[in-house]
Amino acid sequence: MLRYYSHIWVADDDLLMDTRAINQMFLTLAANPAIQIASPAFSSDSAGLWRFHDRHNPHFILRYTNFVECLGPVLSSAVLDNELFRRCLKATRTGYYLDSAFYPISGSSTSGMAIVDVAVCTHPERPEVEREMYKELADHEHGQDYKFFDQNVVDLSSKNNTSHLFSNTPARRERERERER
């Protein structure tokens, strides 16, 4: 598969995006080969925790970033062959905290991750009903994935890693313990 595709888009089942925007996203990524992980920009009416970060900005084609949410990442084929990425996939049950690994996986490079503003998607607000993923595993259990990262010795720390701002990684917990001393 790696030799047939330059990028793979892993989108949530409820993302809305038209064909033109999808094509523009892949064309933009093809023109910027240093980008290992990206996300389409989100419309102003999209729901989600990180919309302050990845909301569409019409003044840009793309914006480099240090965080891409797991909601709809586009992964370069090189990421799929990345040892850290494979270890992270083994360490997660739900996908929680996987987005915290994206920056180290991308090489902690200032040009390794981006929000693609010429490609806009919408993440609609979900109705307050029991979601399928919570039928398999209770909501509070999803946030426990950091334990599996710890157990599988997935170290997300790096010289320029800022994923600690977004997750409960071993490195973040150690920094919090040091501050308490």
Side-chain angles (χ1 to χ4, degrees):
M1 180 171 75
L2 298 179
R3 59 186 170 166
Y4 296 113
Y5 298 99
S6 63
H7 294 84
I8 305 291
W9 186 29
V10 186
D12 267 17
D13 62 343
D14 60 345
L15 281 186
L16 305 173
M17 193 167 170
D18 64 36
T19 304
R20 185 209 58 76
I22 294 169
N23 289 337
Q24 189 61 51
M25 178 174 65
F26 282 104
L27 288 170
T28 302
L29 292 173
N32 294 276
I35 298 172
Q36 298 293 302
I37 300 170
S39 172
F42 286 82
S43 64
S44 60
D45 59 339
S46 288
L49 181 63
W50 301 109
R51 297 303 75 90
F52 69 91
H53 170 76
D54 52 17
R55 186 159 313 221
H56 174 242
N57 186 329
H59 303 290
F60 295 96
I61 294 171
L62 62 83
R63 291 171 283 141
Y64 294 104
T65 184
N66 61 8
F67 184 78
V68 168
E69 187 183 5
C70 276
L71 185 61
V74 182
L75 310 172
S76 73
S77 58
V79 166
L80 300 176
D81 199 32
N82 180 292
E83 175 61 28
L84 177 58
F85 181 67
R86 286 192 299 242
R87 288 194 353 253
C88 288
L89 285 179
K90 288 179 186 175
T92 187
R93 296 177 305 166
T94 66
Y96 275 47
Y97 299 103
L98 188 57
D99 41 23
S100 297
F102 286 161
Y103 186 67
I105 289 167
S106 73
S108 302
S109 164
T110 57
S111 60
M113 293 180 22
I115 305 299
V116 182
D117 281 301
V118 294
V120 181
C121 70
T122 299
H123 185 236
E125 190 71 47
R126 291 184 180 195
E128 290 299 319
V129 296
E130 187 174 359
R131 298 185 183 133
E132 185 177 340
M133 66 188 248
Y134 299 127
K135 291 177 185 174
E136 296 295 322
L137 190 66
D139 185 22
H140 69 279
E141 289 293 317
H142 286 260
Q144 300 299 309
D145 269 10
Y146 73 89
K147 293 176 183 176
F148 293 96
F149 276 69
D150 287 355
Q151 291 169 1
N152 288 281
V153 193
V154 175
D155 182 8
L156 300 181
S157 63
S158 74
K159 185 174 131 189
N160 298 312
N161 184 7
T162 57
S163 65
H164 64 277
L165 299 172
F166 305 104
S167 71
N168 193 4
T169 63
R172 178 179 181 187
R173 289 192 303 282
E174 181 59 31
R175 280 189 293 277
E176 287 172 355
R177 281 192 287 272
E178 287 175 7
R179 271 186 254 150
E180 292 172 0
R181 293 180 194 154

